[in-house]
Amino acid sequence: MTWRHIYGVACLTGVGFTMSLFIGSLAFGNDDTMNAVRLGVVAGSVLSGLLGFAVLRTAAPRPAASAVPAV
């Protein structure tokens, strides 16, 4: 495990949006404002997931040439 793996997992922690929607519903009562809250929370979650995936995908260890069995 490297610092890059830890950073990738940290990026994925932004996906938890259920509590954000709940807090947004308590803070804003207007339907137009709630639509903006929903859009912002979902967009942030998607971006967080994509960034975490990209970081972890590039941080995956590559197998060494000698580790591949010869056929």
Side-chain angles (χ1 to χ4, degrees):
M1 182 192 287
T2 65
W3 283 107
R4 190 169 181 94
H5 291 104
I6 294 172
Y7 178 68
V9 172
C11 290
L12 289 176
T13 61
V15 173
F17 58 87
T18 306
M19 200 61 181
S20 300
L21 290 174
F22 174 68
I23 292 170
S25 69
L26 293 177
F28 306 107
N30 189 357
D31 287 337
D32 292 334
T33 309
M34 271 308 296
N35 288 336
V37 168
R38 287 184 192 111
L39 179 64
V41 169
V42 171
S45 294
V46 168
L47 288 174
S48 177
L50 290 174
L51 179 64
F53 174 77
V55 169
L56 290 175
R57 183 72 174 165
T58 59
R62 305 204 189 276
S66 61
V68 178
V71 178

